[in-house]
Amino acid sequence: MSDMANTVQSIEANAERDLAAVKKLNDTFQAIKLELSKVIVGQTNVIEELLIAIFSRGHCMLEGVPGLAKTLLISTLADTLSLKFNRIQFTPDLMPSDITGTEIIQENKTTGGREFKFMPGPLFANVILADEINRTPPKTQAALLEAMQEHQVTTAGVRRKLAEPFFVLATQNPIEQEGTYPLPEAQLDRFMFKIFVDYPSEEEEFEIIKKTTASYKPQLTRSLSAEEIIDLQEIVRRVPVADHVIRYAMKLVRMTRVTKGEPPAFVKTNVSWGAGPRASQYLILGGKARAVLQGRYYVSTEDIAAVALPCLRHRIITNFNAEAEGINSDKIIQEMLKFIPQKDSENLADQRMPKLTA
């Protein structure tokens, strides 16, 4: 009986610690937004989606025209989180060793002999800004892909682990395609989110101009250490998810697959290739992180729907018919969200998939 009582007490103590950690993460989220607002005007959704990805251990692709403070946002976020930050400007002549590091011959002053010494590249940091990632050749992109997937680099046949936490936050210019190397679908799939950075509103642009043309120099307060971020990532993973929420996420993903099952007419007409299981995993992880950032220790279908656009938009490949009609992946996802009911009930799994119309 005493063993049973000790077990119950241990479970209750763990639950209390998790709930306290959730409150801490929610408080930290509000503090980070406040700190970023000292430098970044607006972009509330972008900041929230970035933080969701970070606490889910995911990488992000940011797409937007030049001058929208993508680089400044990422560097300020890294500074706020007390993380080591490196920026890599991707160019057509960038080689894999330029980002992973290389071995150089160095003289040993003790023995007088020569030996190889590894010089780490810019990938050896916590937050990597891969600026204009689509401007570098596939060979260098492959080296970055290994770092993203395995959290390691391979140089001269030796595997070298990267520091944790590790995030790649890449930027891409959507308007100039000359001299670019489009990312293959396999590498795009490694990015948890693809985030669109839009133009500021009139009032936001006024505030931007007012701040950046004066002598205003904000003082940032650091919120979290690397060790605390790793601990909070574990808390996010432990958030429970009901079966009907998992099935809701699966329905969204499985509806995109034109070669399997019975996809809706709207999808069948406009999609050439759909999302894989990694999309379902990221939807659930994103839903968990969003719930925790809002101070909740449970995930609803609303959380899944909220992260559907950044999670799925780069995993749905539209066909020629969609391009001719001006239909992009965002419009397809929005249609799917309209037709799949967000019901917090266990019988969602038994409902038939609704038919979409063009």
Side-chain angles (χ1 to χ4, degrees), residues 244-258 263-264 267 271 274-276 279-280 283-284 300-309 311-312 315-316 332-342 348 353-354 356:
H244 73 277
V245 176
I246 295 176
R247 291 194 178 277
Y248 176 78
M250 286 175 55
K251 277 181 177 289
L252 280 175
V253 174
R254 294 179 69 84
M255 282 178 70
T256 67
R257 300 171 188 168
V258 293
V267 173
V271 175
S280 302
L283 278 174
I284 295 299
S300 68
T301 53
E302 181 188 353
D303 294 314
I304 305 300
V307 299
L309 277 174
C311 187
L312 295 176
R315 294 183 166 91
I316 297 176
I332 293 170
I333 297 165
Q334 287 163 355
E335 284 295 323
M336 293 193 304
L337 290 172
K338 289 178 186 176
F339 285 91
I340 300 181
Q342 295 179 35
L348 181 62
M353 187 178 297
L356 295 182

Side-chain angles (χ1 to χ4, degrees), residues 59 61 88 90 96 99-100 123 128-131 133-134 136-153 162 166-170 183 187 190-191:
H59 309 290
M61 167 81 73
I88 306 173
F90 280 75
I99 65 172
T100 61
L123 280 182
I128 306 298
L129 169 57
D131 217 352
I133 187 175
N134 57 332
T136 203
K139 186 181 291 186
T140 307
Q141 290 180 2
L144 179 65
L145 177 60
E146 180 190 9
M148 290 170 61
Q149 184 65 24
E150 309 296 337
H151 289 208
Q152 67 176 28
V153 298
L162 299 171
F166 177 75
F167 311 105
V168 173
L169 305 177
L183 271 66
Q187 185 163 353
R190 262 64 178 189
F191 286 99

Side-chain angles (χ1 to χ4, degrees), residues 124-321:
F124 286 81
N126 300 115
V127 179
I128 306 298
L129 169 57
D131 217 352
E132 294 188 294
I133 187 175
N134 57 332
R135 292 203 172 277
T136 203
K139 186 181 291 186
T140 307
Q141 290 180 2
L144 179 65
L145 177 60
E146 180 190 9
M148 290 170 61
Q149 184 65 24
E150 309 296 337
H151 289 208
Q152 67 176 28
V153 298
T154 303
T155 57
V158 179
R159 297 176 180 175
R160 305 179 192 276
K161 285 289 183 182
L162 299 171
E164 297 290 348
F166 177 75
F167 311 105
V168 173
L169 305 177
T171 67
Q172 189 167 267
N173 186 344
I175 58 176
E176 187 180 344
Q177 296 302 321
E178 187 176 344
T180 62
Y181 301 84
L183 271 66
E185 284 71 21
Q187 185 163 353
L188 277 174
D189 198 42
R190 262 64 178 189
F191 286 99
M192 178 178 181
F193 285 168
K194 182 177 182 180
I195 302 171
F196 285 159
V197 184
D198 204 355
Y199 290 107
S201 66
E202 183 177 350
E203 286 303 314
E204 289 171 348
E205 190 162 357
F206 175 82
E207 191 66 27
I208 290 169
I209 295 169
K210 191 175 179 180
K211 279 187 175 181
T212 55
T213 57
S215 58
Y216 173 71
K217 292 184 180 179
Q219 297 295 320
L220 297 177
T221 303
R222 296 188 170 184
S223 304
L224 290 173
S225 66
E227 292 75 17
E228 288 174 318
I229 291 172
I230 293 172
D231 289 341
L232 292 171
Q233 288 173 338
E234 287 297 325
I235 296 296
V236 168
R237 294 261 169 170
R238 291 206 296 269
V239 173
V241 184
D243 287 352
H244 73 277
V245 176
I246 295 176
R247 291 194 178 277
Y248 176 78
M250 286 175 55
K251 277 181 177 289
L252 280 175
V253 174
R254 294 179 69 84
M255 282 178 70
T256 67
R257 300 171 188 168
V258 293
T259 58
K260 295 288 183 181
E262 296 182 4
F266 186 84
V267 173
K268 192 177 292 185
T269 304
N270 296 292
V271 175
S272 62
W273 204 256
R278 189 179 279 118
S280 302
Q281 295 170 333
Y282 280 146
L283 278 174
I284 295 299
L285 285 173
K288 286 185 175 188
R290 183 179 186 271
V292 171
L293 288 178
Q294 294 191 355
R296 290 181 284 108
Y297 201 60
Y298 67 91
V299 184
S300 68
T301 53
E302 181 188 353
D303 294 314
I304 305 300
V307 299
L309 277 174
C311 187
L312 295 176
R313 60 166 53 114
H314 56 300
R315 294 183 166 91
I316 297 176
I317 311 300
T318 54
N319 56 25
F320 176 78
N321 182 71

